Amino acid sequence: MTLLVMKFGGTSVADLERIRHAAAHVKREVAAGNRPAVVVSAMAGETNRLVALTREASPLHDAREYDTVVSSGEQVTTGLMAIVLQSMGIQARSWQGWQIPIVTDDAHGAARIKEVPGNELLRRMERGEVPVVAGFQGLGPDNRVTTLGRGGSDTSAVALAAGLGAERCDIYTDVDGVYTTDPRIVARARRLERISYEEMLEMASLGAKVLQTRSVELAMVKGVRLQVRSSFDDPESVPPAGSDAPAPGTLVCDEDEIVEKQIVSGITYAKDEARITLVEVADKPGVAAAVFGPLAEAGINVDMIVQSVSDDGRHTDITFTVAAADLDKTMSALEELRAQIGFKELRGTTDVVKVSVIGIGMRSHAGVAASMFKALAEKSINIQAISTSEIKISVLIDAAYTELAVRTLHSLYGLDDL
Ligand code: ADP
Ligand code: ASP
Ligand code: MG
């Protein structure tokens, strides 16, 4: 008997036919004597539709009411999944975030889960009931519905797995695992058998949207084993949890469980970046603080920062990146500080992309950055900013070169599926 969480993303519950197909995966586990808890997303496109409605109602709106609206997509799919499971002879019951409750903080629109009490659900699961839990939503300290940020159902699934003490958390999606890069842009991307939490965390936060970053963070902290797999598999032809045959897909696990360590495991790109340049600021102590202090106070996250060497010893340029959604806010905050900071010109653009190479092997291998820069130079791709950590190197380039850069690096590090 394996206690497991089975999460189905938007494409996997896009209509009743898909919901029936997903339900057949659940049925396989129940038939094998396992105890699954199900987490569902809203139907594909539904959350986008709801977000657009709130914007149309008023561009500036109350975040609590945004959550009331956008959380509703998951309520529909929990009920439909429960009905379909019941029609297959499985005892199923839907659960909204507030009913469990999935306790979160008060950051409406991007709430963090604090606790998922598992006792009541466990009691029912022991009696053979299958809970169908709404992903993406929780209950805030103000007793109102919260949502966890886009892609948040992954995090609901991991938090539920931790709360139940489940042996595994299966993430059913529209790809059959985690790939070396987004399979939609590189046809030769290869599925990874296993990937470490750390690498997956970097990949998620640097653009691979297959898992929400927070879900990986939480899985790493709580030691939840994540299996990313396809919901399109034939439910009857894949082995149930607990059998000798390994599950299809990609296992996200501890680094020690990975025998073959690659230097580079994955490549990501993130288009939601904006670049800002302050031209000719004074080259003297305190200027960086004058620029970045007020931005931090305004809650603007700055990512990459480059300060060029000053030619005349008096002036320099500062270039940095922020989330594209923060560009306007950042530009106006800096305009207001023009006199105080003292710069000649302020430039901002969203025509950039951040391309990153990720791998735990980089810790022990020198020269990855050098080979990356050389390969990009050979394709005449100019690097506008660089940032590194122990297991990743990111470069900011012109957005027009996204595919060329990702493909070039994918081949360079031997990731192509030949
Ligand atoms: P779901 O609705 O099931 O949550 P998402 O759309 O959030 O699914 O995530 C799956 C998508 O992530 C895939 O369709 C794929 O295009 C994209 N993706 C980006 N990078 C990767 C990667 N490295 N491996 C697998 N999928 C990726
Ligand atoms: N439905 C939500 C979204 O589209 C949550 C999720 O699917 O993970 O962002
Ligand atoms: Mg998702």
Side-chain angles (χ1 to χ4, degrees), residues 7-10 13 39-43 73-74 77-78 133-136 153-154:
K7 179 257 173 179
F8 295 95
V13 294
V39 173
V40 287
S41 290
M43 290 179 174
E74 272 73 9
T77 44
T78 52
V133 177
F136 186 48
S153 296
D154 298 327

Side-chain angles (χ1 to χ4, degrees), residues 7-12 41 154 172-175 177-184 203 207-211 267:
K7 179 257 173 179
F8 295 95
T11 320
S12 312
S41 290
D154 298 327
Y172 286 84
T173 182
D174 58 4
V175 271
V178 178
Y179 278 70
T180 45
T181 192
D182 188 347
R184 283 191 203 175
M203 282 189 62
K209 75 162 191 164
V210 61
L211 288 172
I267 297 172

Side-chain angles (χ1 to χ4, degrees), residues 15-54:
D15 53 36
L16 280 174
E17 199 187 324
R18 295 259 172 88
I19 293 178
R20 287 198 184 96
H21 190 84
H25 282 289
V26 180
K27 189 176 177 188
R28 175 193 65 238
E29 300 300 335
V30 174
N34 292 325
R35 284 196 190 136
V38 177
V39 173
V40 287
S41 290
M43 290 179 174
E46 179 63 4
T47 310
N48 286 348
R49 188 183 74 87
L50 296 167
V51 169
L53 278 176
T54 60

Side-chain angles (χ1 to χ4, degrees), residues 49-347:
R49 188 183 74 87
L50 296 167
V51 169
L53 278 176
T54 60
R55 293 204 182 122
E56 206 181 315
S58 169
L60 282 178
H61 49 255
D62 187 324
R64 283 159 293 200
E65 301 313 337
Y66 166 93
D67 280 350
T68 303
V69 176
V70 304
S71 62
S72 66
E74 272 73 9
Q75 175 155 347
V76 173
T77 44
T78 52
L80 292 174
M81 177 63 89
I83 292 173
V84 168
L85 285 169
Q86 287 170 3
S87 75
M88 292 173 161
I90 294 166
Q91 240 179 291
R93 185 59 65 209
S94 66
W95 292 85
Q96 307 314 302
W98 61 268
Q99 288 171 305
I100 296 180
I102 296 177
V103 182
T104 74
D105 63 13
D106 62 356
H108 283 277
R112 271 184 181 272
I113 297 179
K114 290 180 151 174
E115 194 198 349
V116 181
N119 285 350
E120 173 66 13
L121 293 187
L122 279 172
R123 218 166 40 78
R124 288 165 173 260
M125 287 165 78
E126 272 160 29
R127 295 201 312 246
E129 203 173 289
V130 175
V132 182
V133 177
F136 186 48
Q137 50 168 270
L139 184 68
D142 52 1
N143 231 12
R144 305 202 64 93
V145 175
T146 53
T147 62
L148 312 177
R150 299 307 305 271
S153 296
D154 298 327
T155 306
S156 309
V158 173
L160 181 64
L164 295 172
E167 280 156 68
R168 206 169 79 193
C169 182
D170 283 359
I171 305 286
Y172 286 84
T173 182
D174 58 4
V175 271
D176 61 357
V178 178
Y179 278 70
T180 45
T181 192
D182 188 347
R184 283 191 203 175
I185 79 155
V186 180
R188 285 186 160 171
R190 199 154 31 93
R191 183 175 59 80
L192 297 160
E193 223 35 69
R194 292 180 174 210
I195 184 167
S196 68
Y197 290 120
E198 265 188 83
E199 287 167 311
M200 192 64 238
L201 189 59
E202 291 280 13
M203 282 189 62
S205 69
L206 294 168
K209 75 162 191 164
V210 61
L211 288 172
Q212 197 197 33
T213 307
R214 277 186 193 168
S215 72
V216 186
E217 210 171 54
L218 195 62
M220 185 158 110
V221 171
K222 302 276 184 184
V224 174
R225 293 164 77 77
L226 279 178
Q227 183 79 25
V228 179
R229 56 191 292 178
S230 171
S231 67
F232 302 143
D233 283 342
D234 172 10
E236 301 302 322
S237 66
V238 286
S243 53
D244 292 338
T250 301
L251 177 70
V252 187
C253 60
D254 265 332
E255 194 180 320
D256 330 330
E257 289 184 60
I258 299 172
V259 190
E260 244 184 274
K261 292 193 178 58
Q262 306 286 333
I263 298 177
V264 172
S265 301
I267 297 172
T268 60
Y269 63 94
K271 286 190 168 163
D272 50 358
E273 302 267 320
R275 188 196 71 218
I276 291 166
T277 302
L278 289 160
V279 182
E280 282 196 22
V281 293
D283 192 16
K284 62 173 192 204
V287 170
V291 173
F292 297 114
L295 297 185
E297 272 163 37
I300 297 166
N301 247 326
V302 173
D303 181 16
M304 306 165 115
I305 302 176
V306 183
Q307 181 171 334
S308 54
V309 181
S310 121
D311 283 336
D312 55 5
R314 287 186 298 135
H315 293 109
T316 177
D317 295 346
I318 298 179
T319 295
F320 60 93
T321 62
V322 295
D326 285 338
L327 176 63
D328 292 345
K329 197 167 141 191
T330 312
M331 295 288 277
S332 43
L334 291 172
E335 245 346 306
E336 271 175 40
L337 293 165
R338 185 182 271 266
Q340 219 172 309
I341 302 170
F343 51 83
K344 189 174 162 207
E345 204 188 318
L346 179 63
R347 293 186 199 140

